[in-house]
Amino acid sequence: DAGITQSPRHKVTETGTPVTLRCHQTENHRYMYWYRQDPGHGLRLIHYSYGVKDTDKGEVSDGYSVSRSKTEDFLLTLESATSSQTSVYFCAISDRVNATNEKLFFGSGTQLSVL
Amino acid sequence: DAKTTQPPSMDCAEGRAANLPCNHSTISGNEYVYWYRQIHSQGPQYIIHGLKNNETNEMASLIITEDRKSSTLILPHATLRDTAVYYCIALSSNDYKLSFGAGTTVTVRA
């Protein structure tokens, strides 16, 4: 299995508090992604990174920020958590060399509950 | 990227081949067809992908029609562990953001 570690695995927090989720990889892959998964919505892309300090928004980026200061770590921050951000968050990595090989490897997920 | 359409659910018998259809009638020439699956509560897992030729690996086979408007993922000998949600995704060669739809919930029954 690809070396991807998400932390924490579970978190319960209160509305209005800041939360940071961490994704750590040992594969030296260039691309990293944050998805959220909610019942009835499938997986939706929040933010992604195509290199150190290079990030861009996905389809549901409002209320989230990301940072990537080194290849192995991609942080997702909820500046002020809301109940609508209760979800399962998945990190994914990819070593996309060219268009023919976009294999994503996913972490085990973080279950976040905002009360 | 082209929209894909999959049946919401399907059942198959253990030991039999499972044929999962996907419609992508608006696919363009530079879009690949990718298949992933997600077993309950786990992160999605890559299965296979192709452009226009049929592909086979240790997990499955991918059959793409000649006009590329549809494809079929074949699990040759389904097991109970193949019970999962299967996602068919069209990805452009100049894009790298996979978009997951609702997928097909496949239930393998003993």
Side-chain angles (χ1 to χ4, degrees):
Chain A
D1 290 341
I4 309 169
T5 304
Q6 291 187 230
S7 58
R9 290 295 311 278
H10 303 273
K11 185 169 182 67
V12 179
T13 191
E14 294 184 349
T15 299
T17 59
V19 177
T20 295
L21 308 183
R22 181 185 184 227
C23 180
H24 178 78
Q25 61 147 328
T26 58
E27 305 296 323
N28 200 37
H29 283 0
R30 178 182 174 188
Y31 296 88
M32 299 185 76
Y33 307 79
W34 277 108
Y35 285 85
R36 63 176 288 175
Q37 185 168 35
D38 307 288
H41 288 278
L43 283 99
R44 293 181 290 175
L45 182 64
I46 305 171
H47 280 281
Y48 62 98
S49 170
Y50 46 96
V52 174
K53 298 193 189 316
D54 293 323
T55 65
D56 205 347
K57 297 178 180 180
E59 60 182 308
V60 289
S61 59
D62 287 349
Y64 301 95
S65 63
V66 290
S67 66
R68 192 168 178 201
S69 59
K70 45 187 178 178
T71 299
E72 58 265 36
D73 289 326
F74 192 33
L75 304 180
L76 177 71
T77 298
L78 291 65
E79 300 291 347
S80 178
T82 67
S83 58
S84 65
Q85 293 176 311
T86 292
S87 186
V88 179
Y89 291 85
F90 287 102
C91 173
I93 65 174
S94 168
D95 193 20
R96 188 175 192 266
V97 175
N98 54 48
T100 67
N101 194 20
E102 182 60 2
K103 296 181 187 177
L104 263 62
F105 299 95
F106 283 81
S108 300
T110 294
Q111 173 67 62
L112 176 67
S113 298
V114 183
L115 306 179
Chain B
D1 296 332
K3 177 179 170 59
T4 61
T5 303
Q6 301 176 251
S9 64
M10 61 182 292
D11 288 357
C12 63
E14 186 179 23
R16 304 293 295 271
N19 297 298
L20 283 62
C22 180
N23 181 283
H24 32 79
S25 58
T26 61
I27 198 167
S28 63
N30 69 346
E31 288 184 295
Y32 290 76
V33 178
Y34 280 79
W35 284 85
Y36 281 75
R37 74 179 183 182
Q38 186 174 23
I39 297 171
H40 180 63
S41 79
Q42 298 180 17
Q45 175 190 26
Y46 166 83
I47 301 174
I48 199 167
H49 74 283
L51 183 62
K52 53 184 177 181
N53 296 322
N54 297 338
E55 303 287 344
T56 295
N57 63 20
E58 66 278 5
M59 290 183 67
S61 295
L62 174 60
I63 308 298
I64 302 175
T65 58
E66 192 169 345
D67 63 7
R68 302 209 326 119
K69 293 183 184 298
S70 66
S71 60
T72 301
L73 178 75
I74 301 173
L75 307 177
H77 304 287
T79 71
L80 298 179
R81 288 174 293 183
D82 292 321
T83 292
V85 179
Y86 288 76
Y87 300 98
C88 170
I89 304 164
L91 182 68
S92 167
S93 60
N94 57 9
D95 197 2
Y96 45 85
K97 302 186 296 290
L98 284 171
S99 294
F100 292 79
T104 296
T105 299
V106 174
T107 303
V108 180
R109 301 191 185 281

